[in-house]
Amino acid sequence: MTVAELSITIDVDGTPVSGVYARPPGAAATIVVAHGAGAGMGHPFMTGFTSALNDDGLATLRFNFPYREAGRKFPDRPPVAIATWRSVMDAAAARAADAGSPGEPIWASGKSFGGRMASMAVAEGMPVAGLVFLGYPLHAPGKPEKPRSDHLPGITVPMLFLQGRNDPFATPNEQLDEVARRIGQNASLEWVEGAGHSFEIKGAKRPAAEIGAGLAAPVSAFVRAVSAARR
């Protein structure tokens, strides 16, 4: 099934950012997807991931943060990134309502930086059905003594962590295991054996779009399981 994509513009406190929305017939939920620090919404990993979600019956909205929209390399500071997340989530909810599905579950997902900023927005009160992290950057490579996780246990929505075993942003692995334990029943952590920060596996070269698409199945299963439990 090929789902048509619609290019949209989202206003973030007077700054326009680009987004791409896609909605299959009878969508069960919307997944809003943010890019990582080093690549925008058009990266093949992103397009492969959202296309596979569309094929599985989920609507998606991927977007650029303002720094990427402006062609800058250094990521936005958290206040700007969080404001962007809020505006994009509002846009996703409006799209669902326009499609005749007001109140549809709207999930926030992101690759690395994008997912962490989503979690910070939720910690500050942004409403979401749940969070999906595609490689949570628990700490800078080689600096496990400076974790970026203090806000996570206070979040009360379901969270799925998809993480590569060889990800330098989550080594040693036991540190993220402990974070998930502290969060409790709201956290589900799935390790991808042999995978790095972008889910690449040494000795198994695959296109980025294929890698992204391969993460859609566990995400879709988690979203549907949460929805079923809430009925």
Side-chain angles (χ1 to χ4, degrees):
M1 176 178 64
T2 300
V3 179
E5 293 188 332
L6 176 67
S7 295
I8 65 174
T9 300
I10 303 158
D11 179 79
V12 181
D13 296 335
T15 298
V17 297
S18 299
V20 175
Y21 183 74
R23 185 177 189 86
T30 295
I31 315 294
V32 181
V33 189
H35 58 78
M41 68 172 182
H43 191 276
F45 178 96
M46 297 283 289
T47 60
F49 178 62
T50 55
S51 179
L53 288 175
N54 298 153
D55 289 344
D56 201 32
L58 298 173
T60 59
L61 172 56
R62 64 181 191 271
F63 66 95
N64 279 333
F65 285 107
Y67 80 96
R68 193 72 191 183
E69 192 75 13
R72 298 190 301 270
K73 292 184 178 181
F74 193 78
D76 297 312
R77 300 297 297 170
V80 174
I82 289 170
T84 304
W85 259 112
R86 288 182 174 278
S87 295
V88 176
M89 290 294 287
D90 288 345
R95 291 280 167 180
D98 289 345
S101 188
E104 175 179 291
I106 311 290
W107 287 68
S109 174
K111 174 76 175 71
S112 191
F113 167 81
R116 185 166 76 95
M117 291 300 105
S119 70
M120 292 176 69
V122 173
E124 292 189 8
M126 183 179 78
V128 295
L131 286 160
V132 174
F133 303 109
L134 308 177
Y136 187 82
L138 183 58
H139 54 72
K143 296 183 178 181
E145 72 280 4
K146 296 181 179 180
R148 304 156 171 164
S149 58
D150 287 349
H151 64 293
L152 293 175
I155 294 175
T156 59
V157 299
M159 289 175 270
L160 173 63
F161 294 80
L162 294 179
Q163 202 82 25
R165 281 284 187 195
N166 295 340
D167 185 350
F169 288 79
T171 303
N173 295 165
E174 292 77 12
Q175 191 172 9
L176 187 56
D177 287 332
E178 175 60 20
V179 170
R181 187 197 67 76
R182 285 195 290 113
I183 293 171
Q185 62 182 3
N186 286 324
S188 179
L189 172 57
E190 296 186 21
W191 290 102
V192 180
E193 297 298 330
H197 188 54
S198 294
F199 298 93
E200 75 287 357
I201 296 176
K202 189 175 181 179
K205 190 171 180 59
R206 295 178 296 160
E210 181 181 321
I211 295 173
L215 300 177
V219 171
S220 179
F222 186 77
V223 168
R224 292 177 186 278
V226 169
S227 296
R230 288 173 171 170
R231 293 194 188 106

